[in-house]
Amino acid sequence: MTNREKLTMAQALNRALRDAMAEDETVVVFGEDVGQLGGVFRITDGLTAEFGEQRCFDTPLAESGIVGVAVGMAMNGMRPVVEMQFDAFSYPAFEQVASHVAKMRNRTRGRVGLPMVIRIPYGGGIGGVEHHSDSSEAYFAHTPGLHVVVPSTVADAYGLLRAAIASPDPVVFFEPKKLYWSKEEVDVTQAVPPIGTAVVRRAGTDATLIAYGPAVPVALDAAAVAAQEGRSLAVVDVRSLVPFDDETVCQAVRATGRAVVVAEASGFASVASEIAARVTERCFHSLAAPVRRVSGLDIPYPPPKYEGFHLPTVDRILDAVDDLQWEEG
Amino acid sequence: MTNREKLTMAQALNRALRDAMAEDETVVVFGEDVGQLGGVFRITDGLTAEFGEQRCFDTPLAESGIVGVAVGMAMNGMRPVVEMQFDAFSYPAFEQVASHVAKMRNRTRGRVGLPMVIRIPYGGGIGGVEHHSDSSEAYFAHTPGLHVVVPSTVADAYGLLRAAIASPDPVVFFEPKKLYWSKEEVDVTQAVPPIGTAVVRRAGTDATLIAYGPAVPVALDAAAVAAQEGRSLAVVDVRSLVPFDDETVCQAVRATGRAVVVAEASGFASVASEIAARVTERCFHSLAAPVRRVSGLDIPYPPPKYEGFHLPTVDRILDAVDDLQWEEG
Amino acid sequence: MTADPMRLLPSRAPVVLIDAQGEPRPHETYALPSDDELVAAYAGLVAARRLNDQASVLVRQGRLAVYPSSHGQEACQVAAARVLADDDWLFPTYRDTAAIVARGVDPVQALTLLRGDWHCGYDPYEHRVAPQATPLATQLPHAVGVALAARMRGESTVVLALCGDGATSEGDFHEALNFAAVLRAPVVFFVQNNQYAISVPLARQTAAPSLAHKGVGYGVPGEQVDGNDVAALLAVLGAAVERARSGEGPQLVEAHTYRVAAHTNADDAARYRADDEVKAWLARDPIIRLESYLTRRGALTPEKISAATEQADRLAEAMREGLSRDEAANPADLFAHVYASPTPQLDEQARMVADELEREAEV
Amino acid sequence: MTADPMRLLPSRAPVVLIDAQGEPRPHETYALPSDDELVAAYAGLVAARRLNDQASVLVRQGRLAVYPSSHGQEACQVAAARVLADDDWLFPTYRDTAAIVARGVDPVQALTLLRGDWHCGYDPYEHRVAPQATPLATQLPHAVGVALAARMRGESTVVLALCGDGATSEGDFHEALNFAAVLRAPVVFFVQNNQYAISVPLARQTAAPSLAHKGVGYGVPGEQVDGNDVAALLAVLGAAVERARSGEGPQLVEAHTYRVAAHTNADDAARYRADDEVKAWLARDPIIRLESYLTRRGALTPEKISAATEQADRLAEAMREGLSRDEAANPADLFAHVYASPTPQLDEQARMVADELEREAEV
Ligand SMILES: Cc1ncc(C[n+]2csc(CCOP(=O)(O)OP(=O)(O)O)c2C)c(N)n1
Ligand SMILES: Cc1ncc(C[n+]2csc(CCOP(=O)(O)OP(=O)(O)O)c2C)c(N)n1
Ligand SMILES: [Mg+2]
Ligand SMILES: [Mg+2]
């Protein structure tokens, strides 16, 4: 007997919420349009019907309020999972996240933990108008006290969301919008990947591409093209930005001696900067060339017509790989 | 005749506001307690008395409102300079900053610029209780469309604030609280340093310390101690985080072959990460050792009693310098 | 803190001057606008409806990326534009394209955002129309700032700031009203309560007697009005604008109306509301009632109706025409306006993109 | 949207049950609390005043880093604690140490934040007192969440959430009241209007008839009360708590009181307010009026006054005593509670700090 099913990432996330709610009645889901509508991306589809309005409900339209109320619920025995409708619409809640979600456990010397999840549909590539395609992970990854997770596969979407809901710590859970409709055969009864682990998605010997979220499929495509051109690229999917899996990432980089970090967000003071800096610190003498970054441009997210120039592409990744000073190596 | 006067950084900032208001009647100052009280740090002291309630006034207590109203004023011919009372209290305004302040010019294809300054007293070392010692520059530096500036000297405080007010672009202006009472003889009639330029504060031949804001004096102290121990450290004051002066910084690093980045903020996905990454990208083959970072720990800012462990110290900087693989060099 | 709360509360029921049957309803405070004004408004309504219809077609044809229709809310859209003087400012949301166009902005420029091109296709200073705001309620403090700046210079500018019922729940709504009241900014906050925020009905948004009742908490007079009655809207908004202009401070106006279409073309309203509800509101259509009122008075003749229709046709034609042309994206535009002059970092990135394109062109 | 706005508006003047002269003032809605209750409250007031005095001394001695005094607001502090049942929750701000202590938290633990040690020195679950919030109004949505969670489990918990007049201007105030109203959370929002937000007087904070008038905009009943009359506070807050407990939803209560001291010891109130104003408020002191009322009734005897004073002495003694000891900082504490278990990154940083200290010790 096999438990494998073909699911989209959106369906897997919905399944994860459903399974968590069925197992643990303290799990509650709320936010804008998550009830009857099932969310603008249908991630919460059917939850109100199945678990009732008490467990999955619409709130007034106010993100700071949503996160703030979740803080209170988490203080008082619940495991809230809240949705920010789009990436950029989490900014009104930033104060609550930075000053409370991230700090409550520390402030209370471990007495008050906040087992809550903030789900954020994120990233570009879907032709969204302004404010609908931001990548805001750096803001959260820079804030101590949060776990920050970004799945890139359907299986990880299910597993990491289950792990996030089960976590005693607050987790900011980024859902790559571009991959919502990606399909995969998965077994959701399989073990959940622990938060804090990266995974090698493709083995390779010449250079390592380090990516997460929507950049992972692009990195894999680049590796496939490079293979045809005779260059063997490894691809590491970071998937947990905080905590960061130095071991897996550095092992891959040391083995190849060259690395490119790939991420959608604007590059300046970003998670990609961090990865480049820490990999260099740890693997300096194994490196034949500086770690390169292929990230979003340092511009406000451009309109749909222009997003192709902004986002990491196979070509841009391969250009960066070409730049890794192969002559001198 | 000399124009040199002994001023504290707080006085120099006050003078800069006063001079800018006197020269340009579109400059208006507002925020919490900036009027009659003159601000909790007295940076706006006397402005209401001198220029009237129209030009310097208290607002209701709401940071998003303050920044949002400044956006409207800047759209309509004024040059607002607003104060966030403490670093962490800028977070409620984050939505306005990220979605509007940073994007208005780009959104309107250059038609609507926002010549406004957001002043933020920032950083630790003053024994402040929770939320009063954050270093939030990474959030802003990561957001394209903002200029981000951090003076470390009295002269720069004056000059950069004048430059910020004169700038056609929005500037987030960080004021190191710890240095408010530092004194220096300055000539405020001197040329204003342009935003976007770093400066070498101390020449050195063995390694380069790259610092900004409150970390600069600490780096200089470290360099002084190192000199006694026979090691010559250069100190570069970045002072403008965005735009970043790659030339000055890289020139210093290339000359010494070793570098340590020093900053108060938590290190993960920070401006220090960016500096380490970009210096490495640009100077890789001049580097004898990986660029090290000495930054705040990845913890919520600790209480006064503990801040000594959190902040970069001379010892920690010298330890990092010692780690720069001198044997192998 | 001496304001009399009773003078700040809205009237018990929304102000109506022409009812759903097209009958005039005398009101103790507000007078019916003149026939001429209403005939002009009628032409505006027809044009606005046509703009909504045409835009919806253009979405289906792939010429627009997305369109949040104001079908059913045209009276609000037209009144918002008509009560303002040239020097006044309008602060619209994503749903207010019809108001923007009614204020004189070229429809193709107004639709730039929604066709997936740059986020504001018109010059905000030309017609004094702010960029359409997407993050809800965030434009309201800007409106206050614009008004304050004008007042500081002694100008008599009034700012009309639009938002939806859902947006009233955001903190920025609160902060903007409070700043305006304390600083006596000449702003009229105009809430189009179309009963839904995407799928969320008003009852999930507020437990207040009405949204107009929010005014008293700021010392701002609130008023509520039938949002499908352009005559009432012109009277109430017009009075609010003149009150603000005369230095008496901000006002809050709530229009009770209905979002006849789905939230946008991407939304499926059947998931959360019944057809009957929509039908009931269609019977209160803003155009039909005005047409019947004016026709009965003899102020609206078949010729005037044709003239309005033809004008709307030309608008639709201009939209089709303007949106049929796609300009090629120029990648240099990505970097041109992030700052007044690009940073060295942006110059570097611009060179990278230009290099890529050059190499591509060579292949 | 059927709430009658008139039932949501506060009474025209603040509720007073015992006036500044100590005279009882009959009220149509609220009854005077019993003598026993008021004698107990009296002891609370004396203790709270003593706590404020002692803390101010400890600041001058360098034993506390900073102290925001509630001198003059003791009636609010004591009433807030006394109207709650054991299972209820209190959400205090930085200024509410006296209320926290009145609820049973050890004063030394309560002052941990203000002495510059860890940010919350008590176990929030022990007495159901949330950590003191510094970012203004941010605790109010938390209060709503705590109340909702309790109600989901069928508990009859009520949450009393404190904030100042200045904090009502923040967006989070708005969002919290609205969420509470729409979701019918059993929360009493209690605003201590002490006339100032640091230097900013109420008139620069709001143009509303009163802060209690903000309730109607959320469908939440508002009430205003003399904040220096503990009898009125007990009656009004008590009724609000019982109303919330019975499932009728949230309420907003504004107490008119005065911050007699500067904002904190670091503030210089002479820069922004006149001595006369302070003197006028001192004449309305909450302790004096209660003492004169109860003494005249014979309910407060010299013995009871001494008992209250001695209890306050013991409190002050415990504060002096507890705050005279400084525990050494343990750097491992920096990393222990950032997460339930430290990340590898934190472990690495903890090792670095430990190494540094070891090497220092060796020198
Ligand atoms: C800050 C923010 N949060 C969420 C959204 C996503 N969103 C777009 S429109 C909308 C509903 C708005 O409802 P309302 O204010 O009533 O305006 P309407 O669309 O009905 O005109 C939502 C939730 C947004 N644009 N901004
Ligand atoms: C979000 C935020 N902004 C600014 C501050 C700085 N601040 C601390 S107390 C205070 C005044 C608060 O006034 P009020 O709410 O009336 O309370 P009170 O101090 O009078 O008790 C200010 C501005 C803060 N703590 N939080
Ligand atoms: Mg709506
Ligand atoms: Mg106050």
PDB file of all heavy atoms in Angstrom, chain B residues 287-307:
ATOM      1  N   LEU B 287      42.632  39.213  -0.283  1.00  0.00           N
ATOM      2  CA  LEU B 287      42.364  38.829   1.106  1.00  0.00           C
ATOM      3  C   LEU B 287      43.222  37.658   1.555  1.00  0.00           C
ATOM      4  O   LEU B 287      43.272  36.615   0.891  1.00  0.00           O
ATOM      5  CB  LEU B 287      40.893  38.462   1.286  1.00  0.00           C
ATOM      6  CG  LEU B 287      39.878  39.614   1.261  1.00  0.00           C
ATOM      7  CD1 LEU B 287      38.457  39.062   1.304  1.00  0.00           C
ATOM      8  CD2 LEU B 287      40.113  40.573   2.421  1.00  0.00           C
ATOM      9  N   ALA B 288      43.867  37.840   2.691  1.00  0.00           N
ATOM     10  CA  ALA B 288      44.661  36.752   3.269  1.00  0.00           C
ATOM     11  C   ALA B 288      43.827  35.898   4.213  1.00  0.00           C
ATOM     12  O   ALA B 288      44.246  34.832   4.634  1.00  0.00           O
ATOM     13  CB  ALA B 288      45.846  37.342   4.021  1.00  0.00           C
ATOM     14  N   ALA B 289      42.667  36.419   4.551  1.00  0.00           N
ATOM     15  CA  ALA B 289      41.801  35.708   5.499  1.00  0.00           C
ATOM     16  C   ALA B 289      40.381  36.150   5.212  1.00  0.00           C
ATOM     17  O   ALA B 289      40.166  37.199   4.597  1.00  0.00           O
ATOM     18  CB  ALA B 289      42.186  36.077   6.939  1.00  0.00           C
ATOM     19  N   PRO B 290      39.410  35.359   5.633  1.00  0.00           N
ATOM     20  CA  PRO B 290      38.026  35.786   5.407  1.00  0.00           C
ATOM     21  C   PRO B 290      37.725  37.054   6.194  1.00  0.00           C
ATOM     22  O   PRO B 290      38.315  37.287   7.249  1.00  0.00           O
ATOM     23  CB  PRO B 290      37.205  34.614   5.930  1.00  0.00           C
ATOM     24  CG  PRO B 290      38.098  33.870   6.869  1.00  0.00           C
ATOM     25  CD  PRO B 290      39.485  34.065   6.345  1.00  0.00           C
ATOM     26  N   VAL B 291      36.816  37.853   5.658  1.00  0.00           N
ATOM     27  CA  VAL B 291      36.377  39.044   6.381  1.00  0.00           C
ATOM     28  C   VAL B 291      35.590  38.582   7.601  1.00  0.00           C
ATOM     29  O   VAL B 291      34.660  37.801   7.486  1.00  0.00           O
ATOM     30  CB  VAL B 291      35.501  39.930   5.470  1.00  0.00           C
ATOM     31  CG1 VAL B 291      34.978  41.126   6.245  1.00  0.00           C
ATOM     32  CG2 VAL B 291      36.285  40.358   4.245  1.00  0.00           C
ATOM     33  N   ARG B 292      36.018  39.051   8.751  1.00  0.00           N
ATOM     34  CA  ARG B 292      35.308  38.670   9.983  1.00  0.00           C
ATOM     35  C   ARG B 292      34.301  39.751  10.359  1.00  0.00           C
ATOM     36  O   ARG B 292      34.472  40.910  10.022  1.00  0.00           O
ATOM     37  CB  ARG B 292      36.321  38.516  11.133  1.00  0.00           C
ATOM     38  CG  ARG B 292      37.141  37.250  11.068  1.00  0.00           C
ATOM     39  CD  ARG B 292      36.330  36.019  11.455  1.00  0.00           C
ATOM     40  NE  ARG B 292      35.509  36.253  12.630  1.00  0.00           N
ATOM     41  CZ  ARG B 292      35.847  35.916  13.860  1.00  0.00           C
ATOM     42  NH1 ARG B 292      36.986  35.290  14.089  1.00  0.00           N
ATOM     43  NH2 ARG B 292      35.050  36.171  14.866  1.00  0.00           N
ATOM     44  N   ARG B 293      33.261  39.343  11.090  1.00  0.00           N
ATOM     45  CA  ARG B 293      32.279  40.317  11.578  1.00  0.00           C
ATOM     46  C   ARG B 293      32.252  40.323  13.097  1.00  0.00           C
ATOM     47  O   ARG B 293      32.239  39.274  13.721  1.00  0.00           O
ATOM     48  CB  ARG B 293      30.883  39.949  11.081  1.00  0.00           C
ATOM     49  CG  ARG B 293      30.717  40.089   9.585  1.00  0.00           C
ATOM     50  CD  ARG B 293      29.358  39.587   9.151  1.00  0.00           C
ATOM     51  NE  ARG B 293      29.291  38.130   9.097  1.00  0.00           N
ATOM     52  CZ  ARG B 293      28.167  37.437   9.004  1.00  0.00           C
ATOM     53  NH1 ARG B 293      26.998  38.057   8.967  1.00  0.00           N
ATOM     54  NH2 ARG B 293      28.193  36.119   8.938  1.00  0.00           N
ATOM     55  N   VAL B 294      32.267  41.497  13.665  1.00  0.00           N
ATOM     56  CA  VAL B 294      32.007  41.637  15.102  1.00  0.00           C
ATOM     57  C   VAL B 294      30.744  42.468  15.213  1.00  0.00           C
ATOM     58  O   VAL B 294      30.749  43.669  14.927  1.00  0.00           O
ATOM     59  CB  VAL B 294      33.169  42.324  15.833  1.00  0.00           C
ATOM     60  CG1 VAL B 294      32.793  42.561  17.296  1.00  0.00           C
ATOM     61  CG2 VAL B 294      34.434  41.488  15.727  1.00  0.00           C
ATOM     62  N   SER B 295      29.666  41.798  15.578  1.00  0.00           N
ATOM     63  CA  SER B 295      28.398  42.529  15.620  1.00  0.00           C
ATOM     64  C   SER B 295      27.647  42.146  16.873  1.00  0.00           C
ATOM     65  O   SER B 295      28.119  41.358  17.692  1.00  0.00           O
ATOM     66  CB  SER B 295      27.583  42.200  14.369  1.00  0.00           C
ATOM     67  OG  SER B 295      27.459  40.809  14.238  1.00  0.00           O
ATOM     68  N   GLY B 296      26.475  42.734  17.049  1.00  0.00           N
ATOM     69  CA  GLY B 296      25.631  42.354  18.163  1.00  0.00           C
ATOM     70  C   GLY B 296      25.292  40.879  18.056  1.00  0.00           C
ATOM     71  O   GLY B 296      25.323  40.290  16.967  1.00  0.00           O
ATOM     72  N   LEU B 297      25.000  40.264  19.180  1.00  0.00           N
ATOM     73  CA  LEU B 297      24.622  38.855  19.189  1.00  0.00           C
ATOM     74  C   LEU B 297      23.247  38.700  18.537  1.00  0.00           C
ATOM     75  O   LEU B 297      22.500  39.675  18.413  1.00  0.00           O
ATOM     76  CB  LEU B 297      24.586  38.345  20.638  1.00  0.00           C
ATOM     77  CG  LEU B 297      25.878  38.575  21.439  1.00  0.00           C
ATOM     78  CD1 LEU B 297      25.654  38.281  22.923  1.00  0.00           C
ATOM     79  CD2 LEU B 297      27.026  37.736  20.883  1.00  0.00           C
ATOM     80  N   ASP B 298      22.915  37.485  18.136  1.00  0.00           N
ATOM     81  CA  ASP B 298      21.610  37.266  17.509  1.00  0.00           C
ATOM     82  C   ASP B 298      20.544  36.999  18.568  1.00  0.00           C
ATOM     83  O   ASP B 298      19.907  35.941  18.594  1.00  0.00           O
ATOM     84  CB  ASP B 298      21.704  36.127  16.486  1.00  0.00           C
ATOM     85  CG  ASP B 298      22.481  36.560  15.258  1.00  0.00           C
ATOM     86  OD1 ASP B 298      22.239  37.687  14.777  1.00  0.00           O
ATOM     87  OD2 ASP B 298      23.332  35.787  14.778  1.00  0.00           O
ATOM     88  N   ILE B 299      20.385  37.995  19.416  1.00  0.00           N
ATOM     89  CA  ILE B 299      19.419  37.919  20.522  1.00  0.00           C
ATOM     90  C   ILE B 299      18.655  39.241  20.577  1.00  0.00           C
ATOM     91  O   ILE B 299      19.144  40.251  20.086  1.00  0.00           O
ATOM     92  CB  ILE B 299      20.131  37.700  21.878  1.00  0.00           C
ATOM     93  CG1 ILE B 299      21.063  38.887  22.178  1.00  0.00           C
ATOM     94  CG2 ILE B 299      20.946  36.405  21.867  1.00  0.00           C
ATOM     95  CD1 ILE B 299      21.675  38.845  23.574  1.00  0.00           C
ATOM     96  N   PRO B 300      17.457  39.230  21.165  1.00  0.00           N
ATOM     97  CA  PRO B 300      16.802  40.513  21.393  1.00  0.00           C
ATOM     98  C   PRO B 300      17.706  41.380  22.256  1.00  0.00           C
ATOM     99  O   PRO B 300      18.412  40.855  23.136  1.00  0.00           O
ATOM    100  CB  PRO B 300      15.531  40.122  22.168  1.00  0.00           C
ATOM    101  CG  PRO B 300      15.279  38.691  21.805  1.00  0.00           C
ATOM    102  CD  PRO B 300      16.653  38.088  21.646  1.00  0.00           C
ATOM    103  N   TYR B 301      17.698  42.682  22.034  1.00  0.00           N
ATOM    104  CA  TYR B 301      18.594  43.550  22.792  1.00  0.00           C
ATOM    105  C   TYR B 301      18.399  43.288  24.284  1.00  0.00           C
ATOM    106  O   TYR B 301      17.293  43.346  24.798  1.00  0.00           O
ATOM    107  CB  TYR B 301      18.335  45.026  22.478  1.00  0.00           C
ATOM    108  CG  TYR B 301      19.524  45.861  22.894  1.00  0.00           C
ATOM    109  CD1 TYR B 301      20.530  46.161  21.984  1.00  0.00           C
ATOM    110  CD2 TYR B 301      19.673  46.291  24.204  1.00  0.00           C
ATOM    111  CE1 TYR B 301      21.650  46.884  22.370  1.00  0.00           C
ATOM    112  CE2 TYR B 301      20.795  47.008  24.601  1.00  0.00           C
ATOM    113  CZ  TYR B 301      21.775  47.301  23.675  1.00  0.00           C
ATOM    114  OH  TYR B 301      22.886  48.003  24.058  1.00  0.00           O
ATOM    115  N   PRO B 302      19.491  42.988  24.986  1.00  0.00           N
ATOM    116  CA  PRO B 302      19.356  42.592  26.391  1.00  0.00           C
ATOM    117  C   PRO B 302      19.207  43.790  27.315  1.00  0.00           C
ATOM    118  O   PRO B 302      19.427  44.928  26.898  1.00  0.00           O
ATOM    119  CB  PRO B 302      20.681  41.874  26.651  1.00  0.00           C
ATOM    120  CG  PRO B 302      21.653  42.559  25.757  1.00  0.00           C
ATOM    121  CD  PRO B 302      20.882  42.968  24.532  1.00  0.00           C
ATOM    122  N   PRO B 303      18.839  43.548  28.556  1.00  0.00           N
ATOM    123  CA  PRO B 303      18.682  44.645  29.512  1.00  0.00           C
ATOM    124  C   PRO B 303      20.035  45.284  29.842  1.00  0.00           C
ATOM    125  O   PRO B 303      21.091  44.692  29.576  1.00  0.00           O
ATOM    126  CB  PRO B 303      18.075  43.977  30.729  1.00  0.00           C
ATOM    127  CG  PRO B 303      18.343  42.537  30.592  1.00  0.00           C
ATOM    128  CD  PRO B 303      18.477  42.247  29.138  1.00  0.00           C
ATOM    129  N   PRO B 304      19.995  46.501  30.390  1.00  0.00           N
ATOM    130  CA  PRO B 304      21.209  47.272  30.671  1.00  0.00           C
ATOM    131  C   PRO B 304      22.307  46.439  31.333  1.00  0.00           C
ATOM    132  O   PRO B 304      23.482  46.532  30.956  1.00  0.00           O
ATOM    133  CB  PRO B 304      20.729  48.368  31.617  1.00  0.00           C
ATOM    134  CG  PRO B 304      19.290  48.570  31.277  1.00  0.00           C
ATOM    135  CD  PRO B 304      18.774  47.257  30.782  1.00  0.00           C
ATOM    136  N   LYS B 305      21.883  45.648  32.281  1.00  0.00           N
ATOM    137  CA  LYS B 305      22.843  44.857  33.031  1.00  0.00           C
ATOM    138  C   LYS B 305      23.673  43.939  32.143  1.00  0.00           C
ATOM    139  O   LYS B 305      24.760  43.518  32.513  1.00  0.00           O
ATOM    140  CB  LYS B 305      22.015  44.020  34.009  1.00  0.00           C
ATOM    141  CG  LYS B 305      22.731  43.414  35.146  1.00  0.00           C
ATOM    142  CD  LYS B 305      21.693  42.895  36.144  1.00  0.00           C
ATOM    143  CE  LYS B 305      22.259  41.798  37.004  1.00  0.00           C
ATOM    144  NZ  LYS B 305      21.227  41.343  37.966  1.00  0.00           N
ATOM    145  N   TYR B 306      23.114  43.586  30.996  1.00  0.00           N
ATOM    146  CA  TYR B 306      23.760  42.599  30.121  1.00  0.00           C
ATOM    147  C   TYR B 306      24.313  43.198  28.840  1.00  0.00           C
ATOM    148  O   TYR B 306      24.900  42.482  28.043  1.00  0.00           O
ATOM    149  CB  TYR B 306      22.749  41.513  29.741  1.00  0.00           C
ATOM    150  CG  TYR B 306      22.415  40.567  30.866  1.00  0.00           C
ATOM    151  CD1 TYR B 306      21.493  40.907  31.848  1.00  0.00           C
ATOM    152  CD2 TYR B 306      23.027  39.312  30.942  1.00  0.00           C
ATOM    153  CE1 TYR B 306      21.177  40.034  32.875  1.00  0.00           C
ATOM    154  CE2 TYR B 306      22.720  38.425  31.961  1.00  0.00           C
ATOM    155  CZ  TYR B 306      21.798  38.790  32.924  1.00  0.00           C
ATOM    156  OH  TYR B 306      21.498  37.916  33.931  1.00  0.00           O
ATOM    157  N   GLU B 307      24.111  44.501  28.623  1.00  0.00           N
ATOM    158  CA  GLU B 307      24.444  44.988  27.282  1.00  0.00           C
ATOM    159  C   GLU B 307      25.935  44.952  26.974  1.00  0.00           C
ATOM    160  O   GLU B 307      26.323  44.861  25.818  1.00  0.00           O
ATOM    161  CB  GLU B 307      23.809  46.352  26.966  1.00  0.00           C
ATOM    162  CG  GLU B 307      24.271  47.514  27.795  1.00  0.00           C
ATOM    163  CD  GLU B 307      23.512  48.815  27.440  1.00  0.00           C
ATOM    164  OE1 GLU B 307      22.858  48.930  26.391  1.00  0.00           O
ATOM    165  OE2 GLU B 307      23.583  49.753  28.266  1.00  0.00           O
TER     166      GLU B 307
END
